[in-house]
Amino acid sequence: MSKILKSLLAGCALAIATGVAEADYPEKAVTVVAPYGAGGASDLAARSLADVARDYLGDQPVVVINKTGNGGMNGARYVSQSAPDGYTLLLARVGMALYPAVQESAPVGWDDYTFLGSLEATPMILAVSETSPYQTMEDLIGALKSGASPLTYGASGATSIDGFTVQALLSDNGLDPLQAATLVPYKGGSALATALLGGHVDFLAVAAGSLMPHIEAGKMRPLMVYAPARMEKLPDVPTASELGFEKAGQISGWSALYGPKGLPEDVVKQWATVLKQVGDDPDWLTLASRRGSISTAGEGDMAAFAKSQYELFNGMAKDFGYVK
C-alpha cells in the first residue's frame, strides 16, 4: 500500500473517530419556513433574514416558504419533524410559545426545537381606521364600556397573539375578555389590515409590520403600542404600560430562528455567529426599521425567553378560562 493511500485512510479513520464533518455547513440552500400568511410579520421577517443571511453563509441562498394554518402549528410541526441537519428552519413567532400555552393537545410543544437565536422584537399596534370616531384610547374604552353598540375587532383567533392583545386590554378595564367585543377572524396580517381599511372591523391590535405602511399613508390611526417603550416612528403614541394596562403591558411580538431538536453543534454555533453578523448588518437594521421592528439578532438566551413567554400566556389562558 502506498504512503499516500495509507495517509488518506488514516485521515478518514480520524474523521470518523472524532465525528468531524468532511464538509462545512451549509453546502446547499437553507429553507426557512414562515408559518403564517404572506405579508404578515413572520413572512416579512423571514424574507429580510433571507436577503441578509446568505452573505454570511458562504453565499448559499436562503429560501422562504409559507406553510400556514392551525395557528402557525402546521409550519412548526413541519420543521420539528424535518431532518435535524440545519437545512430546514423555522421563522418562529410568539405563537410557538403561545399555542402550547393555551392548547393542551398542541402538536408541537414550546420546547420541541433547537433554539438558534432571537431576531427581533415586533411591537403590536392598536389601530382604528382614519374614518373612525375614536381619537384616543380613552374614546375607545369609553365606547367598549358603554355597550351601546358592540364593537368588533379583527384577530387571527381568540387564542392568537392578536386575540390576546385585545382580551388582555378588556380584562384590564374590568370588561369580560370574551364578550365585551366581538372577534372577527382573518388569516394573516395583510388580511387583517385590509379588514380594518374596509370598515369590516372597528379596531385591531396586530404586529406593527402589517400596519405601519397604512399608518404612514394616513389611512389608519394608531392609538396604543404594545411594546416596552414607544416606537421611534410613533413617538406620540403611548404604550399599554404607560396607560396603566397591566396585562396588555406585558404583551409584545417577536421573531426568532428555530430548528428541529438535535441539530448538530456545529450548525448551532454557525447560526450563533451568523445571527450576530446579521444583527450588525446595516441592511438588516434598515429592513427591521421599515417593519417597525427592533433588532435583537444575536442577543439574549432564546430558550429562557421562550419559556418565560409560554408561562405568561399559560397564566392568561387560565385567567380567561381557556385552560384549567
Side-chain angles (χ1 to χ4, degrees):
M1 184 181 297
S2 71
K3 289 183 180 181
I4 294 176
L5 182 56
K6 285 181 180 180
S7 177
L8 288 172
L9 289 173
C12 290
L14 179 61
I16 292 170
T18 59
V20 175
E22 290 185 37
D24 292 335
Y25 168 88
E27 295 181 276
K28 58 182 181 180
V30 175
T31 295
V32 173
V33 175
Y36 302 99
S42 70
D43 181 68
L44 294 170
R47 295 185 189 281
S48 294
L49 179 65
D51 287 344
V52 177
R54 69 175 297 159
D55 291 342
Y56 307 107
L57 290 169
D59 213 31
Q60 290 290 355
V62 178
V63 179
V64 177
I65 62 172
N66 297 86
K67 287 191 175 293
T68 65
N70 196 22
M73 287 293 103
N74 286 353
R77 180 171 54 188
Y78 177 83
V79 172
S80 70
Q81 294 177 348
S82 296
D85 55 11
Y87 290 101
T88 304
L89 305 177
L90 178 69
L91 197 296
R93 288 287 295 166
V94 62
M96 275 69 263
L98 191 158
Y99 193 103
V102 302
Q103 298 288 346
E104 295 176 351
S105 60
V108 189
W110 73 267
D111 58 349
D112 285 341
Y113 309 95
T114 297
F115 299 100
L116 293 175
S118 178
L119 289 172
E120 63 179 356
T122 56
M124 316 285 285
I125 300 175
L126 189 148
V128 296
S129 74
E130 62 174 335
T131 59
S132 171
Y134 311 119
Q135 301 290 325
T136 66
M137 280 302 300
E138 186 178 6
D139 293 341
L140 180 62
I141 296 299
L144 287 164
K145 286 184 174 180
S146 75
S149 177
L151 301 186
T152 60
Y153 69 97
S156 303
T159 56
S160 64
I161 179 64
D162 45 27
F164 272 106
T165 51
V166 174
Q167 291 167 45
L169 176 68
L170 296 173
S171 178
D172 285 333
N173 284 277
L175 298 167
D176 186 327
L178 308 186
Q179 300 293 328
T182 301
L183 186 156
V184 182
Y186 291 89
K187 292 183 178 180
S190 59
L192 284 161
T194 299
L196 185 62
L197 291 170
H200 304 298
V201 294
D202 294 304
F203 69 103
L204 41 64
V206 304
S210 298
L211 302 186
M212 281 305 299
H214 307 293
I215 291 171
E216 291 172 338
K219 296 180 179 180
M220 291 183 185
R221 181 183 306 129
L223 303 185
M224 185 176 75
V225 174
Y226 294 74
R230 293 193 182 197
M231 290 178 61
E232 183 178 341
K233 288 190 173 184
L234 299 174
D236 297 325
V237 180
T239 68
S241 294
E242 283 182 79
L243 294 176
F245 302 138
E246 182 184 0
K247 289 188 177 72
Q250 299 179 66
I251 297 176
S252 185
W254 48 266
S255 299
L257 190 65
Y258 290 1
K261 260 191 178 300
L263 283 185
E265 189 60 29
D266 63 325
V267 173
V268 175
K269 289 181 178 179
Q270 174 84 332
W271 273 105
T273 299
V274 168
L275 290 180
K276 287 181 181 178
Q277 293 170 315
V278 167
D280 292 330
D281 189 286
D283 289 339
W284 166 259
L285 295 173
T286 296
L287 291 168
S289 178
R290 287 177 183 170
R291 296 192 302 276
S293 298
I294 303 164
S295 175
T296 59
E299 301 176 10
D301 182 338
M302 191 59 220
F305 178 71
K307 181 180 180 182
S308 72
Q309 287 285 283
Y310 168 81
E311 292 171 347
L312 169 66
F313 289 108
N314 186 244
M316 286 189 185
K318 290 175 179 177
D319 289 345
F320 298 165
Y322 291 119
V323 298
K324 294 181 179 180

